Amino acid sequence: LVSSFEQRGVALSVTEQIVKTINILCDFVEVRDYATRILHPYSRLVVRHPQIQPHVMEGVCSLIKTLGSNFFVYAPMIISIVHRCREMKEKRLLLKYKHITSSLIKQVQERRKENLAMSGCQIVGRDQFQEDLSLVSLGVEDINGDDMA
């Protein structure tokens, strides 16, 4: 499916329908092995066809939910897509992204705190892990329900 919308000359309506189909599949099929194959084309798609940005953001949210805390592996690509979609009119999708990622960040932070406590380790100096987590919500932290269009 992904390679279908990547081809030049594919009608926008066909591309849109393919993206919607992939988004639905992400909710029902194990996509961990295909996340990269979906995210990279999505990042190119939001530049080439800005009108499909809401569908791409819907897909990103579906992927994040499916991947759970493993989505941090794909954070740079996801952040790139979110920044390109930042100006879209449908703020509800950015709110959805913000909600999903913030709950996952809290889970990861709690798990990390427990692991550090159990091991007796302490973090000295700069905490790169914490900085990486904060990047995930970068660009959408100032969006709230009042901004919805």
Side-chain angles (χ1 to χ4, degrees):
L1 283 173
V2 174
S3 62
S4 299
F5 76 71
E6 284 256 277
Q7 297 171 4
R8 296 274 182 206
V10 175
L12 186 60
S13 60
V14 173
T15 301
E16 185 176 345
Q17 195 57 50
I18 291 171
V19 170
K20 287 178 181 179
T21 303
I22 292 170
N23 295 349
I24 292 168
L25 288 172
C26 286
D27 289 332
F28 298 102
V29 177
E30 180 59 50
V31 293
R32 290 173 202 255
D33 296 336
Y34 304 102
T36 300
R37 294 179 188 163
I38 295 170
L39 287 170
H40 282 278
Y42 272 15
S43 70
R44 292 187 291 272
L45 191 60
V46 294
V47 172
R48 200 171 20 174
H49 300 295
Q51 57 273 43
I52 297 182
Q53 286 179 351
H55 303 298
V56 170
M57 274 305 296
E58 194 70 52
V60 167
C61 290
S62 293
L63 268 171
I64 291 172
K65 283 193 303 189
T66 302
L67 294 170
S69 60
N70 293 329
F71 95 93
F72 289 107
V73 173
Y74 306 101
M77 184 57 58
I78 291 170
I79 292 166
S80 157
I81 293 170
V82 170
H83 280 282
R84 290 177 180 154
C85 294
R86 179 87 168 90
E87 299 303 318
M88 72 181 173
K89 292 182 180 13
E90 292 191 45
K91 298 295 184 203
R92 72 174 179 82
L93 293 172
L94 293 171
L95 282 169
K96 183 177 179 180
Y97 168 83
K98 180 180 177 181
H99 174 72
I100 293 168
T101 56
S102 63
S103 64
L104 285 171
I105 288 170
K106 286 176 188 169
Q107 288 175 14
V108 169
Q109 287 172 328
E110 288 170 11
R111 220 176 309 140
R112 184 167 185 249
K113 228 183 262 183
E114 290 170 5
N115 290 342
L116 286 171
M118 285 174 48
S119 67
C121 295
Q122 289 184 0
I123 297 175
V124 180
R126 188 172 144 213
D127 188 355
Q128 183 63 46
F129 180 79
Q130 199 61 38
E131 290 176 23
D132 291 345
L133 282 180
S134 66
L135 283 176
V136 172
S137 60
L138 189 69
V140 292
E141 69 278 343
D142 58 332
I143 294 175
N144 55 47
D146 302 335
D147 295 338
M148 290 178 53

